[in-house]
Amino acid sequence: MKCAKENLLLYAVTDRHWLDGRTLKEVVLESLEGGVTMLQLREKHLDEAHFLEEAKELQALCRSRHVPFLINDNVEIALAMDADGVHVGQSDMAAGDVRKKLGDDKIIGVSAQTVEQALLAEKAGADYLGVGAVFPTSSKDDANEVSYETLKAICSAVSIPVVAIGGITQENVHQLAGSGICGAAVISAIYAKPDIKKAAEELKKAVKETI
């Protein structure tokens, strides 16, 4: 499965911090029903066995809806379960090495904060870039903010699609209009809401208007 621009429109990243008594499967299903176009499983504290089990469960949900399913950071898990791809940060495995491990038919996303990082990732074989944090965010303690000018410069510099991430909400996403992004990646803007399906629907509409 290759990454089409449309897949990046509403890119949801999981976070069990917001589960509030529900299972990850339940909240992910709601978000898919609300129109999420790509899903990344981000799991920092689960042991490998539970991570793999959970990943397979979520992948089945995504496959039934033709939504690409990516694993955050963990290339070995992505390989073991035949995930659609993997997203790596600047401090994780280099994109070129990920490509060698996963093969040509998998989606590889790379986080970038500068034009230089973006160009390197594209050269190494990344399929798309995640650029941010474009707004202040509580989901990542170490997230440096990326200005609108830098976001726009990155979009102009590369030929692969760029998705903005970090602190994006239905209210502020319009501020990214004209930057050249093809979608928004969010965590709490969907999963912290009481009505996840509705939050996804409204955010998707706002992102479409923005791009």
Side-chain angles (χ1 to χ4, degrees):
M1 179 186 269
K2 268 305 181 193
C3 183
K5 275 188 173 179
E6 307 72 81
N7 294 135
L8 295 165
L9 184 68
L10 186 56
Y11 186 148
V13 182
T14 68
D15 186 349
R16 54 180 56 252
H17 174 71
W18 306 107
L19 288 181
D20 202 22
R22 296 167 295 183
T23 67
L24 201 56
K25 190 177 176 182
E26 284 167 354
V27 299
V28 165
L29 182 60
E30 275 185 57
S31 69
L32 289 168
E33 284 172 350
V36 160
T37 55
M38 195 148 172
L39 185 80
Q40 180 193 131
L41 176 59
R42 185 164 174 253
E43 202 57 88
K44 297 292 183 192
H45 309 296
L46 268 194
D47 61 77
E48 296 275 306
H50 285 101
F51 191 157
L52 192 57
E53 188 184 329
E54 180 181 83
K56 284 179 173 169
E57 210 174 47
L58 298 183
Q59 170 152 290
L61 280 184
C62 289
R63 289 237 160 121
S64 67
R65 285 167 177 74
H66 307 290
V67 169
F69 175 75
L70 272 64
I71 300 284
N72 182 56
D73 294 352
N74 198 320
V75 179
E76 298 306 326
I77 287 269
L79 197 59
M81 61 165 297
D82 194 28
D84 296 315
V86 76
H87 186 93
V88 289
Q90 287 293 320
S91 57
D92 302 315
M93 190 186 286
D97 297 334
V98 178
R99 177 64 72 206
K100 278 183 199 133
K101 276 200 156 213
L102 294 185
D104 290 337
D105 61 331
K106 298 298 184 190
I107 300 168
I108 296 176
V110 178
S111 300
Q113 277 83 36
T114 65
V115 170
E116 189 187 21
Q117 288 175 354
L119 288 167
L120 276 172
E122 180 178 37
K123 199 175 163 190
D127 292 298
Y128 74 90
L129 299 171
V131 176
V134 292
F135 298 112
T137 173
S138 58
S139 297
K140 277 192 98 167
D141 309 330
D142 59 348
N144 296 319
E145 275 184 59
V146 172
S147 69
Y148 177 87
E149 286 71 30
T150 302
L151 177 64
K152 194 172 179 178
I154 288 172
C155 291
S156 303
V158 296
S159 56
I160 53 176
V162 173
V163 59
I165 188 166
I168 295 170
T169 63
Q170 190 195 332
E171 291 73 37
N172 68 18
V173 71
H174 296 296
Q175 293 174 36
L176 303 176
S179 62
I181 57 166
C182 62
V186 295
I187 302 175
S188 57
I190 292 178
Y191 292 121
K193 303 292 184 204
D195 188 337
I196 290 170
K197 185 181 174 198
K198 183 166 172 257
E201 284 169 350
E202 288 175 352
L203 187 58
K204 190 176 188 178
K205 184 168 170 275
V207 175
K208 269 187 179 159
E209 287 164 5
T210 302
I211 63 169

